[in-house]
Amino acid sequence: NSGNPVVPALLLFLAASPTFEESFRAGLTALQRNDLTAAAENLETASKLAPENGRVWVALSQAYWKRQESGKAEAAAGKAASLAPEDAAVQQSLAIYYSETGQKLKAARAQAKYASKAAQAAEARDRAGALYFEAAQPLLEKQNFADAIAVLREAHTQVPNQAQIELALGVACYGLRRFDEAADAFLRTIAIDPEIEQPYVFLGKFLDQIPSRLPDVTAKFVDYEAKHPESYTGPLLHAKALDAQSIEPETSRKLLEKALAMNDRDASAHFELGTVLDRLQKFDEAAHEFERAIALDASDPAAHYRLARDYDRLGKHDAAQAERERHAKLVKAQDAVR
């Protein structure tokens, strides 16, 4: 009796068939040494043995991407994302894959999921915040502020307390003239990192639009001024905040003179000093400051308007009319751009 010849053949087949672990390990090893053919073959075998394993699919996405098979890579990454949304290793690998393929928003989302489970959570959150910013930056550059806000608000929720995200969100809201939201974002930026100058400067651009926030904003400006005595920005912003509230004109004047002593070429500082001098009814001195502001930046309609008013007060009516005409041309040009 020779027995059943099929049995030993099956035993040989089973002995020759790699297990999932063997195929997966061999695929990862090949991927690490950049043997992409062996990596793809072994990982494809592993994916057939365990088709619900997200780690196999994310490794396959890397192998396919390196083989320049972008369609297969994207499909494998999609499977990994759907199969293992809570697997930190998969999400970290997806963040790398999506970042390498230029899909910054997907990379940010994967990195944020990884950060929620990572041992080094702070570092991982910072990386997620940086990826969200990279996703929003092209939108900001194109002044597509609405879409940028959507990305940055998601970032604010998923990875809170990121100064770069809050600053960018403030800029986007400012671009849409959503001033209260912009102020909120800039104040959050200051709370996270009070050393960053930009949120203070942006707040100084629209103080007249946020009257209820002025006491809080003024306090932030005062703190910045005290901590940066070498910077003209502190006294300039402090003076702007006081002037926006129509209080302490003499204090504002001294602050602006201090700022201009440090930087005489800031048109906004000369303009601000002109407005303070107007309030003090020193019209000749005010006109001089508006003239200086225009010499430094002739494109600001407000400076021409204020100078025209002071020229009229000083009896220089022809000069006042010329300034009104310049003001009208600039306003018309700005309206055409809008």
Side-chain angles (χ1 to χ4, degrees):
N1 185 10
S2 60
N4 187 341
V6 176
V7 173
L10 285 172
L11 290 172
L12 286 170
F13 174 78
L14 290 170
S17 299
T19 64
F20 164 76
E21 288 78 7
E22 289 169 340
S23 298
F24 188 29
R25 189 179 301 110
L28 293 177
T29 302
L31 186 59
Q32 191 170 26
R33 65 172 185 265
N34 214 35
D35 183 351
L36 302 180
T37 300
E41 289 175 353
N42 281 285
L43 291 169
E44 284 169 353
T45 298
S47 72
K48 292 171 185 173
L49 293 168
E52 302 301 309
N53 189 303
R55 295 190 178 193
V56 175
W57 290 107
V58 79
L60 261 175
S61 71
Q62 289 287 341
Y64 288 144
W65 172 247
K66 290 185 176 183
R67 281 162 60 103
Q68 299 184 342
E69 297 178 273
S70 56
K72 285 186 176 181
E74 194 65 16
K79 282 191 176 182
S82 64
L83 289 170
E86 302 302 321
D87 188 319
V90 169
Q91 295 303 320
Q92 184 182 31
S93 297
L94 283 171
I96 294 169
Y97 165 76
Y98 285 129
S99 184
E100 288 177 347
T101 57
Q103 301 178 74
K104 299 300 184 182
L105 185 53
K106 285 186 176 181
R109 288 167 174 165
Q111 181 70 18
K113 287 183 179 179
Y114 166 66
S116 69
K117 303 175 185 305
Q120 301 295 325
E123 183 178 338
R125 281 197 301 272
D126 289 346
R127 175 59 182 155
L131 286 167
Y132 270 115
F133 178 75
E134 288 175 29
Q137 190 170 24
L139 300 170
L140 291 170
E141 290 172 352
K142 294 175 184 176
Q143 298 188 14
N144 186 352
F145 297 124
D147 287 347
I149 287 171
V151 171
L152 294 164
R153 286 209 182 283
E154 179 180 324
H156 168 83
T157 301
Q158 296 301 321
V159 281
N161 298 317
Q162 297 286 315
Q164 188 179 45
I165 293 297
E166 298 297 346
L167 178 59
L169 181 56
V171 171
C173 291
Y174 175 77
L176 290 180
R177 301 181 62 81
R178 289 157 60 170
F179 296 117
D180 281 328
E181 294 171 63
D184 286 339
F186 290 135
L187 288 169
R188 287 195 299 269
T189 308
I190 292 168
I192 296 165
D193 188 349
E195 293 302 304
I196 301 174
E197 184 180 77
Q198 292 97 316
Y200 301 94
V201 173
F202 267 103
L203 283 166
K205 293 176 182 292
F206 59 96
L207 294 171
D208 57 328
Q209 301 293 330
I210 49 171
S212 66
R213 318 296 287 279
L214 287 176
D216 187 23
V217 171
T218 304
K220 297 292 188 292
F221 289 170
V222 170
D223 286 345
Y224 186 83
E225 179 189 5
K227 292 174 183 175
H228 300 85
E230 77 292 345
S231 172
Y232 81 98
T233 303
L236 171 57
L237 293 175
H238 184 183
K240 281 188 173 185
L242 295 177
D243 197 31
Q245 297 169 85
S246 299
I247 58 174
E248 301 182 45
E250 283 294 348
T251 301
S252 296
R253 178 179 183 173
K254 290 176 183 176
L255 288 166
L256 290 163
E257 288 171 348
K258 178 181 177 181
L260 286 166
M262 288 188 272
N263 181 7
D264 187 53
R265 298 194 59 78
D266 188 300
S268 70
H270 286 285
F271 178 86
E272 200 67 32
L273 182 53
T275 64
V276 171
L277 291 166
D278 271 348
R279 288 175 56 210
L280 293 170
Q281 298 187 353
K282 298 178 181 294
F283 303 123
D284 191 34
E285 293 178 49
H288 174 74
E289 293 302 325
F290 293 130
E291 289 167 350
R292 181 66 176 143
I294 290 167
L296 292 167
D297 179 11
S299 66
D300 181 11
H304 294 280
Y305 174 77
R306 298 298 293 260
L307 182 56
R309 287 177 49 182
D310 282 337
Y311 278 161
D312 272 332
R313 288 162 172 158
L314 296 168
K316 300 178 179 180
H317 301 300
D318 290 343
Q321 180 60 28
E323 290 302 323
R324 278 193 290 272
E325 289 172 3
R326 293 186 184 102
H327 169 262
K329 287 180 181 178
L330 289 168
V331 170
K332 185 176 180 180
Q334 287 184 353
D335 289 342
V337 171
R338 295 192 188 116

